[in-house]
Amino acid sequence: MTDKTDVWIVTPQKIAFETPLALQNGQTLPRFDLMVETYGTLNADKSNAVLVCHALSGNHHVAGRHSPHDKHPGWWDTMVGPGKPIDTGRFFVVGVNNLGGCHGSTGPLSTNPETGGEYGADFPVVTVKDWVQSQARLADYFGIRQWAAVAGGSLGGMQALQWAVDFPRRVRHALVIASATRLSAQNIAFNDIARQAIITDPDFHNGHYRRHGTIPRRGLRIARMMGHITYLAEQSLGRKFGRNMHAEGYRYSYDVEFEVESYLRYQGDKFAERFDANTYLRMTKALDYFAPAAEFGNDLTAALKTVQAKFFVAGFSSDWRFAPARSRALVKHLVKAGKNVQYIEIESHHGHDAFLMADEPYLCAVRTYMDNIARECCRD
Amino acid sequence: MTDKTDVWIVTPQKIAFETPLALQNGQTLPRFDLMVETYGTLNADKSNAVLVCHALSGNHHVAGRHSPHDKHPGWWDTMVGPGKPIDTGRFFVVGVNNLGGCHGSTGPLSTNPETGGEYGADFPVVTVKDWVQSQARLADYFGIRQWAAVAGGSLGGMQALQWAVDFPRRVRHALVIASATRLSAQNIAFNDIARQAIITDPDFHNGHYRRHGTIPRRGLRIARMMGHITYLAEQSLGRKFGRNMHAEGYRYSYDVEFEVESYLRYQGDKFAERFDANTYLRMTKALDYFAPAAEFGNDLTAALKTVQAKFFVAGFSSDWRFAPARSRALVKHLVKAGKNVQYIEIESHHGHDAFLMADEPYLCAVRTYMDNIARECCRD
């Protein structure tokens, strides 16, 4: 699938799973599809597989481009590819759109086999644990007994952590980047405001908006604007936009006046057209509910006792959504549980979004860690 | 007006100004009312007057209660009153609802003399400079040539600073608390998201919602929820709510599940009923436009050159909306301009809202500063 010319073309594939999946909320999906992209080649003993998990608005399209004229590469194209830190010349990398997503995997936009109509609001609320279960089926499909690594940033890092807890023998390394062991009250609050913006949009229609031929565009736009601003650091916003005016002088109106307004409204508008509101609601709930120590009396050290994976944990200095202290909390519990962990705190002015960016010390740290994993695969 | 029994009853008064007021946006208010409360007694040479300026959602009701059964005292009741840091036994304290407000001063809810109907969306966008002009008229009304002090937190502190710049001889002391010399891109962004939530609410009707017998309740609710969460520190939210559940176990729905959701939604609902959306829009614009150095080529040190007031500046450690660094920036410019300034950085877990709270070191610092001002008044 790799192409060493200028443009690296990748193709997604949809994989069908016809066995029911029991979900954490008590419901069962009778069947499901997962939309995936794979990069690189699975080696003979299947020891070089890396699962990349996406965050709130991500999907299976991790790296490369879908056509030579595709303007935007996958969301982690700086990290994954031929010769990149997660080197597809050595690793077989799997990107997957999570259940409940809106980019091909079974979710609110899919057909509900029980009704023959679209799921819409009837699609269940899925959790990080549910995703890990579905991803384990995906590993089985590829014949992968154990991932060389499960990696992700933010909500993606939570999946890596949950994998290590739920399938101790199936993960050799977990890369948990710009993430947290659970949401704080402030995190939950921001999520709930976003949900309230969507749900109270008159076009939401209890989540069955598509039956009404509409989408809750206003709510989704506000949710995204708010999310977006919290992913960025105040300082870099200041450097990028400051108080720069979009037009000459004050207008004394509510039209765009400052550049930062123009930027954010554009981001909101674009997102509202491309992302499904029911998916957005579910992704934020998966974040809120994430509690890897829930079955261990909320004692994370106890939850980590049976973990066999080694950990790479990274936090970014200007990330105030999941500040480095949140990563250090995970490290503390890993150390207490006697686990092997490498931690790096990276100076970056990109805020929470830093995990998607090409800051050199960050890429370098992941490259070094992955190089060591590659040496293990070779020894196998 | 003071009553030294258990409950301190205060009474607002509406003062009419029948001379036109030219506004910064080029429009003119033919006449206006200011709703005020005063506490204490103006001394013979009128040297003991303190103007207290309110922030985004505040008003003239600074201290005391309106009736013996009034549940809530004024918004700065911890600071202003008999024997309190701004001691109404010594100072004549004036609280005023700003132009464009929705608590009695001329604003969107007032009658437009040109049409005989309510202003609504036609009420001009007013600025901090406009407020200071109107407050100067208020000083004239009371015969106050010079305020002993102009004081406020957040947007209120901006008024104190603008007073010192626009009327150098009329302010002896400016108390600028939890404030900033101008908004950052992030501050503007949060304001714009709040405005967009209100404006895109289908019940907004271009600001003429009351003519349509409705209010943009959803938008105002979202705006307030978002504002509120940014006024609080992540840590204190964590301490107060953590991940406490509102009900037993996960519901896998979008109803209230976590305590913090219940709290925020309640705050949003309450605010949407009591506050006017057109006023909210105007208050956020006044924040965005605040630029005391605008007429000095954006050189704040130059703007401060003619200032005669002495400054008390305070920032709070956990305030991330107007972080202490923003206060220190003002201090730096004041020092550079050769002005007299006292600065205190106060350890508090109350976030931006700390300026409204009863943290003892904060009350103590203001008390000490005001005691010194009281000694000046006596010497006069």
Side-chain angles (χ1 to χ4, degrees), chain B residues 48 74 76 83 102 151 153 168 192 196 198 217 269 272 286 340 349-350 377:
Chain B
N48 72 333
W76 223 11
C102 52
D192 194 50
Q196 289 294 304
I198 292 169
R217 200 173 272 109
D269 290 338
N340 186 316
H349 61 270
H350 285 121
C377 304

Short mmCIF file of all heavy atoms in Angstrom, two decimals, chain B residues 48 74 76 83 102 151 153 168 192 196 198 217 269 272 286 340 349-350 377:
data_model
loop_
_atom_site.label_atom_id
_atom_site.label_comp_id
_atom_site.label_asym_id
_atom_site.label_seq_id
_atom_site.Cartn_x
_atom_site.Cartn_y
_atom_site.Cartn_z
N ASN B 48 -14.59 61.95 49.77
CA ASN B 48 -14.61 60.55 50.21
C ASN B 48 -15.47 59.64 49.31
O ASN B 48 -15.98 58.63 49.77
CB ASN B 48 -15.07 60.45 51.67
CG ASN B 48 -16.55 60.75 51.82
OD1 ASN B 48 -17.12 61.48 50.99
ND2 ASN B 48 -17.19 60.19 52.84
N GLY B 74 -25.94 42.39 47.57
CA GLY B 74 -25.27 42.90 46.37
C GLY B 74 -24.02 42.08 46.04
O GLY B 74 -23.52 41.33 46.88
N TRP B 76 -20.91 42.70 45.64
CA TRP B 76 -19.63 42.90 46.32
C TRP B 76 -19.86 43.17 47.80
O TRP B 76 -19.14 43.95 48.41
CB TRP B 76 -18.86 44.06 45.66
CG TRP B 76 -17.40 43.76 45.46
CD1 TRP B 76 -16.77 42.56 45.61
CD2 TRP B 76 -16.38 44.69 45.08
NE1 TRP B 76 -15.43 42.68 45.34
CE2 TRP B 76 -15.16 43.98 45.00
CE3 TRP B 76 -16.36 46.06 44.79
CZ2 TRP B 76 -13.95 44.58 44.65
CZ3 TRP B 76 -15.17 46.67 44.42
CH2 TRP B 76 -13.97 45.92 44.36
N GLY B 83 -17.99 48.89 58.12
CA GLY B 83 -16.89 48.14 58.73
C GLY B 83 -16.18 47.20 57.76
O GLY B 83 -15.24 46.51 58.14
N CYS B 102 -29.33 45.98 31.85
CA CYS B 102 -30.74 45.55 31.86
C CYS B 102 -31.32 45.60 33.26
O CYS B 102 -32.22 44.86 33.61
CB CYS B 102 -30.88 44.16 31.25
SG CYS B 102 -29.79 42.91 31.98
N ALA B 151 -13.07 51.75 41.60
CA ALA B 151 -12.67 50.37 41.85
C ALA B 151 -13.55 49.40 41.09
O ALA B 151 -14.74 49.64 40.88
CB ALA B 151 -12.77 50.07 43.35
N GLY B 153 -13.58 44.90 39.53
CA GLY B 153 -12.92 43.65 39.13
C GLY B 153 -13.27 43.34 37.69
O GLY B 153 -14.35 43.71 37.21
N PRO B 168 -7.70 62.35 34.20
CA PRO B 168 -6.56 62.23 35.13
C PRO B 168 -6.77 62.98 36.45
O PRO B 168 -6.33 62.50 37.48
CB PRO B 168 -5.39 62.83 34.35
CG PRO B 168 -5.81 62.77 32.91
CD PRO B 168 -7.30 62.88 32.90
N ASP B 192 -16.90 35.65 21.45
CA ASP B 192 -17.58 35.51 20.16
C ASP B 192 -18.41 34.23 20.11
O ASP B 192 -19.50 34.22 19.53
CB ASP B 192 -16.59 35.54 18.99
CG ASP B 192 -17.32 35.75 17.67
OD1 ASP B 192 -18.15 36.70 17.61
OD2 ASP B 192 -17.13 34.97 16.73
N GLN B 196 -22.24 34.14 19.27
CA GLN B 196 -22.77 33.30 18.19
C GLN B 196 -23.88 32.39 18.70
O GLN B 196 -24.86 32.13 18.00
CB GLN B 196 -21.64 32.48 17.56
CG GLN B 196 -20.67 33.32 16.75
CD GLN B 196 -21.34 33.90 15.52
OE1 GLN B 196 -21.91 33.20 14.70
NE2 GLN B 196 -21.31 35.21 15.40
N ILE B 198 -25.97 33.06 20.99
CA ILE B 198 -27.17 33.89 21.16
C ILE B 198 -27.76 34.27 19.80
O ILE B 198 -28.95 34.13 19.55
CB ILE B 198 -26.83 35.16 21.98
CG1 ILE B 198 -26.50 34.78 23.42
CG2 ILE B 198 -27.97 36.18 21.92
CD1 ILE B 198 -25.88 35.91 24.25
N ARG B 217 -33.47 32.11 24.76
CA ARG B 217 -33.16 31.42 26.01
C ARG B 217 -32.03 30.40 25.84
O ARG B 217 -31.12 30.32 26.65
CB ARG B 217 -34.43 30.73 26.49
CG ARG B 217 -34.47 30.37 27.95
CD ARG B 217 -35.83 29.85 28.35
NE ARG B 217 -36.76 30.92 28.74
CZ ARG B 217 -37.81 31.34 28.03
NH1 ARG B 217 -38.10 30.78 26.87
NH2 ARG B 217 -38.57 32.31 28.49
N ASP B 269 -29.75 28.12 33.12
CA ASP B 269 -31.21 28.34 33.11
C ASP B 269 -31.58 29.62 33.86
O ASP B 269 -32.38 30.42 33.39
CB ASP B 269 -31.91 27.14 33.78
CG ASP B 269 -31.84 25.89 32.91
OD1 ASP B 269 -31.63 26.02 31.70
OD2 ASP B 269 -31.99 24.78 33.47
N ALA B 272 -30.52 32.80 31.99
CA ALA B 272 -31.31 33.07 30.79
C ALA B 272 -32.63 33.73 31.14
O ALA B 272 -33.20 34.47 30.34
CB ALA B 272 -31.56 31.77 30.02
N ALA B 286 -18.05 45.45 24.73
CA ALA B 286 -17.30 46.46 25.50
C ALA B 286 -15.97 45.87 25.95
O ALA B 286 -14.94 46.56 25.93
CB ALA B 286 -18.13 46.93 26.69
N ASN B 340 2.71 55.54 40.58
CA ASN B 340 2.71 54.88 41.88
C ASN B 340 1.76 53.68 41.81
O ASN B 340 0.57 53.84 41.53
CB ASN B 340 2.23 55.91 42.92
CG ASN B 340 2.33 55.39 44.34
OD1 ASN B 340 1.97 54.25 44.60
ND2 ASN B 340 2.84 56.22 45.23
N HIS B 349 -8.11 29.66 45.01
CA HIS B 349 -8.54 28.57 44.13
C HIS B 349 -9.87 28.91 43.46
O HIS B 349 -10.51 28.06 42.87
CB HIS B 349 -8.62 27.25 44.91
CG HIS B 349 -9.59 27.27 46.05
ND1 HIS B 349 -9.24 27.64 47.32
CD2 HIS B 349 -10.90 26.95 46.08
CE1 HIS B 349 -10.32 27.57 48.10
NE2 HIS B 349 -11.33 27.15 47.37
N HIS B 350 -10.27 30.18 43.54
CA HIS B 350 -11.59 30.56 43.02
C HIS B 350 -11.57 31.02 41.56
O HIS B 350 -12.60 31.47 41.05
CB HIS B 350 -12.20 31.67 43.89
CG HIS B 350 -12.72 31.18 45.19
ND1 HIS B 350 -12.27 31.63 46.40
CD2 HIS B 350 -13.66 30.24 45.47
CE1 HIS B 350 -12.92 31.01 47.38
NE2 HIS B 350 -13.76 30.16 46.84
N CYS B 377 -8.36 61.41 52.91
CA CYS B 377 -9.61 62.18 52.91
C CYS B 377 -9.67 63.05 54.16
O CYS B 377 -10.07 64.21 54.12
CB CYS B 377 -10.84 61.27 52.91
SG CYS B 377 -10.90 60.09 51.57
#
